[in-house]
């Protein structure tokens, strides 16, 4: 895509499409570019102002927050700044599931919105509403972040994933956006060697120079190309999402494609959109305010989010089930910065003896063993189990003894460690992989 093509899309085609459909991505795109130049103090003041208006709306128009504030003896004016959020309790998915209607504002007919739901990766799907303003903002945040790479808006890119990245029955709005930004969906639910080669041929033939998708799927594609010495020099950039980008995955992707890898972290129901603009620096979009609760160490713990733009379904201090590491000091960005994404709270295992394990953190250790894939599970505060798919004919009792000894050192005294062997692991219904694959070429 030439610079002229990008200009045409951003200045003629997209404005017409948004005017016809009443969307706001382009408005937010220009506004975010401007906000990127603001001093940090101005960003905080903007967030505080948005927070005050948002809290007032939640109190005046939803029965849940009116009841909550009255029960706590609070009024909207008691929440003036981000620091005041601590006066309110954490919101959980169970509460939203049980009281969905109480979060829907009584003036919802005046708020353009769309219905949505979580993928149900960790249990029952949760339904919620997303305002068009929020959708436009999150779309724009991605446009701004991708702009920091060699990608130009309108460059063709392959979206490697499943139904959570693209839908067969996409809305007219989604189809318009996909056409404008040239997204090419490729299903990665079952990536065989033959399918990997088919996708690479398609990308080469159709001049698709960028890949966006599940971290594990892109890893498998990269590993196939690497192991079979397939030329993929036409790929200029990779954007991983939806899963933890382990060191093993990143190393193989970078080694194969020889290009920049930007990890994209977010949560649609929380209105969170973060992009690894610089190595180990995920820039948090201004529309969501993140806090760390239940800290494991300084800056690290369970994250809760307040999306100050989603008037269609106000959620404040929402615990969406992830553990992250926040930067305590930073100078390169005027908003919040995440330095590491540890994954779901179930991936961070806190033991009774005080030891803390992160499942993705064992990728370097596991590369020493003849293991195809593995998963680590917390049975109790004093018991850890590792499921292993061993390499047939290579795994032996000596490796089992070494791994057991190493893992026992990690889990510490008073904690039992055991190994369970499995024939294979299966992706979830949404295509995500809740296990970790090993790079046996290391």
């Amino acid at each position: 895509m030439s610079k002229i093509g990008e200009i045409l899309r951003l200045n003629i085609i997209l404005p017409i499409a948004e005017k016809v459909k009443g969307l706001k991505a382009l408005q937010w795109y220009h506004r975010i570019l401007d906000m990127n130049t603001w001093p940090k103090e101005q960003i905080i003041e903007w967030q505080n102002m948005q927070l005050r208006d948002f809290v007032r709306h939640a109190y005046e128009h939803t029965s849940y927050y009116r009841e909550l504030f009255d029960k706590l003896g609070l009024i909207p004016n008691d929440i003036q700044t981000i620091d005041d959020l601590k006066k309110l309790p954490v919101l959980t998915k169970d509460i939203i599931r049980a009281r969905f209607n109480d979060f829907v504002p009584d003036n919802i007919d005046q708020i353009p919105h769309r219905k949505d739901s979580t993928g149900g990766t960790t249990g029952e799907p949760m339904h919620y509403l997303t305002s068009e303003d929020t959708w436009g903002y999150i779309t724009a945040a991605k446009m701004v972040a991708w702009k920091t790479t060699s990608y130009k808006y309108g460059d063709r890119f392959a979206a490697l994933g499943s139904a959570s990245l693209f839908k067969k029955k996409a809305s007219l709005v989604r189809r318009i956006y996909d056409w404008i930004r040239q997204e090419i969906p490729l299903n990665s639910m079952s990536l065989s060697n033959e399918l990997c080669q088919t996708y690479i041929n398609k990308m080469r033939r159709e001049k698709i120079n960028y890949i966006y998708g599940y971290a594990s799927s892109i890893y498998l594609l990269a590993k196939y190309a690497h192991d079979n010495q397939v030329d993929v020099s036409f790929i200029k950039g990779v954007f991983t999402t939806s899963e933890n980008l382990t060191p093993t995955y990143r190393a193989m992707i970078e080694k194969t494609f020889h290009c920049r890898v930007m990890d994209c972290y977010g949560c649609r129901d929380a209105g969170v959109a973060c992009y690894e603009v610089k190595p180990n620096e995920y820039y948090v979009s201004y529309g969501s305010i993140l806090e760390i609760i239940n800290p494991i160490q300084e800056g690290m713990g369970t994250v809760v989010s307040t999306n100050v733009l989603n008037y269609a379904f106000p959620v404040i201090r929402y615990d969406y089930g992830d553990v992250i590491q926040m930067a305590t000091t930073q100078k390169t960005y005027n908003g919040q910065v995440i330095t590491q994404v540890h994954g779901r709270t179930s991936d961070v295992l806190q033991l009774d003896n005080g030891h803390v394990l992160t499942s993705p953190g064992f990728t370097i250790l596991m590369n020493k063993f003849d293991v195809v894939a593995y998963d680590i599970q917390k049975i109790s505060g004093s018991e850890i189990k590792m499921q292993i798919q061993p390499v047939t004919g290579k795994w032996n009792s000596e490796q089992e003894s070494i791994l057991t000894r190493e893992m026992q050192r990690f889990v510490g005294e008073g904690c039992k460690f055991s190994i369970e062997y499995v024939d294979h692991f299966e992706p979830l219904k949404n295509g995500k992989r809740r296990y970790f694959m090993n790079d046996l070429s290391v």
Side-chain angles (χ1 to χ4, degrees), residues 1 21 49 55 61 74 79 81 83 108 115 169 189 197 204 250 259 280 298 313 316 322 328 360 392-393 409 435:
M1 172 66 61
K21 300 302 297 183
M49 181 180 66
V55 167
H61 294 285
L74 298 174
I79 310 297
T81 68
D83 289 339
I108 187 63
K115 297 178 181 179
K169 296 182 179 180
M189 288 287 288
Q197 186 62 59
R204 182 188 296 111
R250 182 189 288 274
C259 67
N280 302 313
E298 185 180 10
F313 200 77
I316 302 173
D322 277 5
T328 52
T392 304
R409 181 169 61 86
Y435 55 90

Side-chain angles (χ1 to χ4, degrees), residues 88-107:
L88 300 175
V90 169
L91 177 65
T92 66
K93 289 185 178 182
D94 287 342
I95 294 175
I96 295 175
R97 289 190 187 99
R99 303 191 57 179
F100 172 85
N101 290 331
D102 295 333
F103 288 92
V104 179
D106 55 22
N107 62 344

Side-chain angles (χ1 to χ4, degrees), residues 129-196:
L129 306 178
T130 300
S131 69
E132 291 296 345
D133 199 33
T134 298
W135 187 89
Y137 181 89
I138 291 176
T139 300
K142 177 186 289 187
M143 292 167 62
V144 171
W146 285 26
K147 186 181 176 69
T148 65
T149 72
S150 60
Y151 172 84
K152 295 180 178 61
Y153 191 76
D155 281 338
R156 294 167 70 83
F157 69 93
L160 204 61
S162 66
S164 64
L165 289 185
F166 50 86
K167 299 178 181 179
K168 292 182 178 179
K169 296 182 179 180
S171 66
L172 177 60
V173 172
R174 177 63 185 266
R175 294 199 299 271
I176 290 173
Y177 268 96
D178 288 349
W179 176 80
I180 293 174
R181 63 185 185 148
Q182 292 291 286
E183 175 183 331
I184 312 299
L186 301 176
N187 199 309
S188 65
M189 288 287 288
S190 180
L191 273 179
S192 63
N193 286 345
E194 292 76 15
L195 190 57
C196 284

Side-chain angles (χ1 to χ4, degrees), residues 24-41:
K24 298 183 178 181
L26 197 58
Q27 294 178 32
W28 274 116
Y29 171 75
H30 292 296
R31 190 170 187 182
I32 293 172
L33 286 175
D34 179 50
M35 293 176 73
N36 282 346
T37 67
W38 293 3
K40 186 176 183 67
E41 294 74 20

Side-chain angles (χ1 to χ4, degrees), residues 250-409:
R250 182 189 288 274
M252 176 58 72
I253 294 169
E254 290 179 341
K255 178 168 58 177
T256 301
F257 294 118
H258 301 289
C259 67
R260 178 175 174 183
V261 177
M262 174 184 282
D263 194 27
C264 310
Y265 167 72
C267 177
R268 289 183 303 166
D269 43 311
V272 175
C274 314
Y275 298 89
E276 191 187 22
V277 176
K278 294 189 176 182
N280 302 313
E281 290 188 16
Y282 295 77
Y283 291 6
V284 181
S285 58
Y286 306 123
S288 57
I289 299 168
L290 304 187
E291 303 171 75
I292 295 296
I293 62 171
N294 305 324
I296 299 171
Q297 59 188 45
E298 185 180 10
M300 175 185 173
T302 302
V303 59
V304 296
S305 171
T306 301
N307 173 12
V308 295
L309 301 177
N310 193 11
Y311 279 59
F313 200 77
V315 292
I316 302 173
R317 306 197 79 205
Y318 170 46
D319 176 3
Y320 56 92
D322 277 5
V323 174
I324 63 171
Q325 178 83 44
M326 296 284 292
T328 52
T329 59
Q330 56 85 24
K331 300 179 181 178
T332 58
Y333 179 58
N334 57 5
Q336 292 179 294
V337 172
I338 296 172
T339 57
Q340 187 173 359
V341 178
H342 293 283
R344 309 296 298 175
T345 51
S346 57
D347 291 332
V348 180
L349 315 177
Q350 300 185 60
L351 305 178
D352 292 345
N353 60 10
H355 285 227
V356 178
L357 312 179
T358 59
S359 297
F362 285 95
T363 54
I364 296 176
L365 170 67
M366 295 307 295
N367 279 338
K368 301 176 182 178
F369 301 96
D370 291 313
V371 171
V372 177
Y374 69 94
D375 185 28
I376 301 175
Q377 301 174 1
K378 177 181 174 182
I379 306 303
S380 69
S382 59
E383 183 177 358
I384 293 292
K385 179 177 73 175
M386 177 180 283
Q387 289 185 312
I388 288 177
Q389 179 186 345
V391 178
T392 304
K394 289 189 175 182
W395 178 263
N396 52 45
S397 58
E398 181 182 0
Q399 290 193 53
E400 180 182 281
S401 298
I402 295 173
L403 177 58
T404 299
R405 184 171 64 248
E406 288 290 307
M407 287 300 301
Q408 193 63 60
R409 181 169 61 86

